[in-house]
Amino acid sequence: MEMILVLDFGGQYNQLIARRVRENNVYCEVHTALGIEKIRELNPVGIILTGGPQSVYEKNSLLPPAEIFDLNVPVLGICYGAQAVAKVLGGSVKPARVSEYGKTELEISGESKLFKGVEKKSVVWMSHTDRIFAAPDNFSVTAATKDCPIAAMENTEKNFYAVQFHPEVVHTVEGKKIFSNFVDICGCRRDWKMSSFVTDTINQLKNKIGDGKVLCALSGGVDSSVAAVLLSKAVGKNLTCVFVDHGLLRKNEAAEVAAVFKNFDLNFIKVEAGERFLNKLRGVVEPERKRKIIGEEFIRVFEEVSKKIGAVDYLVQGTIYPDVIESGLGKSAVIKSHHNVGGLPDFVDFKEIVEPLRLLFKDEVRQAGRELGLPENIVSRQPFPGPGLGIRIIGEITAEKIKIVQDADAIYREEISKAGIKNLSQYFAALTNMRSVGVMGDGRTYDFAVALRAVLTSDFMTAEAAEIPWGVLNVVANRIVNEVKGVNRVLYDCTSKPPATIEFE
């Protein structure tokens, strides 16, 4: 299978590069700090070097192996990656006299396969304090901005390309064309589809696991459901799916999940663990600590179940790519530890943790679910984080707070459904730790504020706040204040991601 390799140098949105490649029906993987032997083993048809927070002239800066330029495959450097191309091949990189950040006009000079069909002048997104001052030998400059004379350069004979701007972000108007052109330069057949991923993954799982026993952490969400069905097709009855009711689920969710998966040909076990998780979380307020406690306790429950059903070799999780990125990939910043990635304890009593979806985005996981024949009500199910309401309750978690957010969220979901609003990517109610004065029944109250959240997104890495009709929000607010004990104020979160995250903790 042809594959374009993305070498990650720590930029926070490098996964968008993989998305842009996959949009061209070409398989793409992101790896960090690979040696040349591993790169040769992967046998990519092209290599992309990403952005990153370092300077290429720093003592301990990450640089690609020089041997990648002897592999006879096209190379594209982006931002820091462009500077890395210049540094490794003998050019010069220095601090820029004028840093560029944000939208900038790019002007293309001459002809370039990378810029085929791209407007000679267009808006690009810049984010750099260093720049290329001298191109390496045999490179020609193909584009510039007002403050960056070498905004793009290339060696056409070797198919080496470098751009100082970020073509992967939507702010670069012609970015998708640039990636499409690079895919053509790599000679890709553009024949990778989700059906190929499903078939290849099932075969890989069969070869990897063989007759081993597998335990799948099943939450009922689309990610873990797709992972479970993939494993079911790969190992059959050697798979046991464990659904842990940690007491932090949405209202009535435990019963709904159990009812759905009774209809599947899976070994399904439900574990009641609400009191256990609540005891572990008592007095804990720091978000990362909560995530790690929940992540560790999940693992301990799975270990106990595995001992009861017999030695289990593999634990399967529905980790997807945004989880990996936010938990810290390579030298990228940790935004928040997902309980199934950065929240795992140091010791796990399984031979290996298997994550068949860890390189997919949410929309790709949904496509895989449809390929596997999962019903649409599961494939299109509202995302719900593994730590559940534990990260939708700001501050200490108590039984009282859980009930408040469950009831408020149920009202919100009910009214969104009644209003026929179907385009929301994710929506939920969260409980703030703010108390405020209110008036109810001619008396003073001092109760909690509930925050409502709704976003629109394609990949869950960036998101825009949804514009819910005021009439709907008004009904939701009135119902929550009147029906949910302990709440006297309802707020609507209209912040995009970034700077906020979708979840509150």
Side-chain angles (χ1 to χ4, degrees), residues 250-285:
R250 289 173 286 204
K251 191 171 184 177
N252 302 324
E253 187 159 32
E256 291 169 4
V257 170
V260 166
F261 281 94
K262 276 197 307 185
N263 298 322
F264 284 80
D265 187 22
L266 300 170
N267 297 322
F268 180 83
I269 296 174
K270 180 184 175 186
V271 178
E272 302 282 355
E275 195 64 32
R276 170 178 181 163
F277 276 78
L278 195 57
N279 287 336
K280 289 283 184 179
L281 291 164
R282 188 164 284 118
V284 179
V285 298

Side-chain angles (χ1 to χ4, degrees), residues 54-285:
Q54 299 175 296
S55 295
V56 296
Y57 47 76
E58 290 176 355
K59 183 178 180 181
N60 296 317
S61 61
L62 280 175
L63 290 171
E67 295 90 338
I68 68 167
F69 298 103
D70 298 321
L71 295 178
N72 197 31
V73 299
V75 176
L76 171 62
I78 295 173
C79 194
Y80 177 89
Q83 296 164 13
V85 170
K87 173 73 173 176
V88 173
L89 294 180
S92 171
V93 178
K94 299 177 184 178
R97 295 183 186 91
V98 177
S99 299
E100 289 180 298
Y101 182 80
K103 294 179 179 179
T104 307
E105 185 177 75
L106 179 81
E107 185 169 357
I108 297 169
S109 56
E111 298 298 319
S112 167
K113 287 188 286 185
L114 188 67
F115 296 134
K116 180 181 177 182
V118 174
E119 295 290 333
K120 291 297 182 184
K121 290 185 178 181
S122 65
V123 172
V124 299
W125 183 265
M126 286 283 198
S127 179
H128 67 101
T129 54
D130 297 333
R131 71 171 179 84
I132 300 166
F133 271 73
D137 291 343
N138 302 316
F139 274 74
S140 58
V141 177
T142 54
T145 68
K146 180 171 67 75
D147 295 311
C148 186
I150 306 178
M153 64 180 189
E154 63 183 49
N155 179 330
T156 53
E157 181 184 352
K158 297 284 192 178
N159 274 331
F160 298 156
Y161 301 85
V163 296
Q164 183 59 66
F165 57 92
H166 287 270
E168 70 271 26
V169 301
V170 295
H171 311 296
T172 296
V173 176
E174 300 274 39
K176 289 189 177 184
K177 283 185 188 175
I178 293 170
F179 278 102
S180 179
N181 289 336
F182 185 68
V183 164
D184 286 339
I185 290 167
C186 294
C188 296
R189 297 184 300 272
R190 297 175 181 258
D191 59 358
W192 183 75
K193 297 179 175 61
M194 193 49 63
S195 56
S196 309
F197 170 83
V198 167
T199 302
D200 292 343
T201 302
I202 290 171
N203 289 333
Q204 289 166 11
L205 291 168
K206 283 180 180 176
N207 293 333
K208 180 186 187 69
I209 294 170
D211 294 328
K213 286 191 175 182
V214 182
L215 188 150
C216 180
L218 181 62
S219 71
V222 61
D223 303 334
S224 64
S225 298
V226 171
V229 177
L230 276 171
L231 265 296
S232 177
K233 290 184 179 295
V235 302
K237 292 299 183 182
N238 281 351
L239 171 69
T240 298
C241 294
V242 178
F243 170 64
V244 179
D245 181 0
H246 53 7
L248 298 166
L249 297 169
R250 289 173 286 204
K251 191 171 184 177
N252 302 324
E253 187 159 32
E256 291 169 4
V257 170
V260 166
F261 281 94
K262 276 197 307 185
N263 298 322
F264 284 80
D265 187 22
L266 300 170
N267 297 322
F268 180 83
I269 296 174
K270 180 184 175 186
V271 178
E272 302 282 355
E275 195 64 32
R276 170 178 181 163
F277 276 78
L278 195 57
N279 287 336
K280 289 283 184 179
L281 291 164
R282 188 164 284 118
V284 179
V285 298

